[in-house]
Amino acid sequence: MRKPILLLLTGFLFSIGSLFAQGLQIAALPMVVNGMAAHNVYESETIGIANARSKQFERYQQLISIATKEQLLDLAGEHTNAVVRLYAFQALRERNIAIPKSLQQKFKDDETIVPVLEGCVANKFPLNKLAATQLSAKNNWHKQNFTGTIFVNQ
């Protein structure tokens, strides 16, 4: 008798824990997105002369982890902040999610100027030029040229 009750209780607690974790992820997404928008700078993985880990890049990695495909598509296509749209677009690529042609075209046409911090160099580039290059922790931004408009997943 004890074993079935123990198994039932374990299953119940596991279900409650899973629901709680999902709730935390849902609550965390607005904090990540609002933090990105408030900071409003598109940053490389490390910044400054000390090569410190970028908080904005950490938000990007959180976005990759917690946002659903639908949330990323919505953020990339509809968010009012260009930096958030750009990070969401890059997260779609990082997760190998097919990007609809209409969204790709929207990014190709978007010339909104975005502040960029690459290492210790601050600059500004049009969103469509930044979107043409995939952002990844593995990328070496200092070797990138933001003048092309080549898109992945076409």
Side-chain angles (χ1 to χ4, degrees):
M1 183 71 176
R2 281 189 192 182
K3 246 184 188 177
I5 291 175
L6 185 59
L7 287 174
L8 184 62
L9 184 58
T10 302
F12 176 74
L13 290 175
F14 181 76
S15 297
I16 295 294
S18 294
L19 288 174
F20 181 71
Q22 285 178 336
L24 287 178
Q25 285 184 342
I26 291 167
L29 184 61
M31 290 190 313
V32 169
V33 171
N34 292 339
M36 279 182 171
H39 189 63
N40 199 35
V41 178
Y42 187 66
E43 295 180 351
S44 59
E45 184 176 6
T46 57
I47 55 172
I49 58 173
N51 246 2
R53 182 117 169 118
S54 162
K55 180 68 176 162
Q56 190 75 322
F57 195 86
E58 287 178 6
R59 289 185 193 105
Y60 165 63
Q61 291 181 317
Q62 289 173 326
L63 183 69
I64 292 169
S65 298
I66 64 177
T68 65
K69 170 187 171 182
E70 293 75 21
Q71 289 169 325
L72 289 174
L73 287 167
D74 184 56
L75 289 169
E78 304 300 327
H79 201 277
T80 56
N81 183 277
V83 171
V84 172
R85 289 195 311 271
L86 183 55
Y87 275 122
F89 185 79
Q90 297 292 10
L92 287 165
R93 286 172 148 172
E94 187 76 22
R95 288 183 37 191
N96 295 317
I97 295 171
I99 301 170
K101 296 245 186 247
S102 59
L103 184 56
Q104 289 183 37
Q105 191 60 49
K106 195 172 191 176
F107 271 81
K108 286 180 183 179
D109 296 340
D110 193 337
E111 295 182 351
T112 304
I113 300 300
V114 175
V116 174
L117 185 57
E118 175 194 344
C120 58
V121 178
N123 215 328
K124 293 181 181 182
F125 293 101
L127 184 138
N128 59 0
K129 304 302 183 200
L130 294 167
T133 304
Q134 187 166 350
L135 176 62
S136 171
K138 301 170 194 100
N139 274 358
N140 295 316
W141 271 31
H142 64 280
K143 295 179 182 174
Q144 309 239 351
N145 179 354
F146 295 118
T147 59
T149 54
I150 300 167
F151 280 77
V152 177
N153 296 332
Q154 289 188 344

